[in-house]
């Protein structure tokens, strides 16, 4: 007759083995629910991919037209209000930064990112407004 001695393990290893056993038991009990959840998640991913593909296709086919004066004025007002908000936020952040410790550079870095983003948008608005047909015709005639 073979007598088996119990394993002599420390308390930390014992509790890790106990937690592992409980997790395996819990996983086996909840497995049917997880398969339904995984199927639903795969459907959501599929719908997301279809939506992203359709949005990309619409963006490629999009042909922008000239804006009316009203739309341009509204855009100018939105850009002006956004610029005022960014300037106020930067002024407040920089005033706090000047009053803070010497090693605190997060507000200044955030301000630099915000100013860079606003300048990028403004550069895009300026250079994207050139009509491609007119620009090519003017270059063919030698005008700039």
């Amino acid at each position: 007759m073979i007598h088996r001695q119990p394993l002599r393990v420390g308390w930390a290893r014992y509790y890790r083995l106990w937690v592992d056993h409980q997790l395996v038991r819990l996983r086996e009990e909840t497995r049917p629910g997880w398969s339904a959840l995984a199927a639903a998640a795969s459907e959501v991913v599929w719908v997301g991919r279809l939506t992203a593909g359709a949005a990309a296709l619409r963006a490629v086919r999009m042909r922008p037209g000239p804006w009316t004066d009203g739309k341009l004025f509204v855009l100018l007002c939105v850009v002006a209000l956004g610029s005022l908000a960014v300037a106020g936020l930067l002024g407040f952040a920089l005033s706090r930064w000047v009053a803070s410790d010497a090693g605190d550079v997060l507000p200044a870095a955030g301000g630099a990112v915000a100013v860079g983003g606003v300048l990028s948008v403004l550069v895009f608005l300026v250079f994207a407004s050139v009509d491609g047909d007119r620009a090519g015709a003017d270059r063919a005639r030698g005008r700039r």
Side-chain angles (χ1 to χ4, degrees):
M1 185 172 198
I2 300 174
H3 294 289
R4 295 186 136 198
Q5 293 290 329
L7 291 175
R8 298 197 186 274
V9 295
W11 62 271
R13 186 173 173 114
Y14 172 77
Y15 285 116
R16 281 193 354 214
L17 289 171
W18 180 82
V19 167
D20 184 50
H21 173 71
Q22 297 301 325
L23 288 176
V24 167
R25 189 179 56 82
L26 183 65
R27 190 179 317 132
E28 288 174 356
E29 289 175 1
T30 59
R31 187 163 291 170
W34 283 110
S35 63
L37 188 62
S42 67
E43 289 289 326
V44 169
V45 167
W46 177 68
V47 167
R49 287 181 181 164
L50 283 179
T51 304
L57 189 61
R58 279 196 313 262
V60 167
R61 291 181 181 171
M62 187 171 25
R63 300 281 182 225
W67 283 14
T68 63
D69 289 341
K71 283 185 180 180
L72 288 174
F73 180 71
V74 168
L75 177 68
L76 180 68
C77 289
V78 167
V79 169
L81 289 174
S83 299
L84 283 174
V86 167
L89 183 65
L90 284 177
F92 178 74
L94 289 176
S95 69
R96 293 289 231 182
W97 177 57
V98 168
S100 67
D101 294 334
D104 193 15
V105 294
L106 185 62
V113 169
V115 168
V118 169
L119 286 178
S120 298
V121 169
L122 288 176
V123 165
F124 174 77
L125 288 175
V126 167
F127 291 111
S129 64
V130 175
D131 190 15
D133 296 335
R134 288 187 317 180
D138 288 346
R139 284 193 198 120
R141 291 184 200 141
R143 293 186 207 154
R144 281 200 148 227

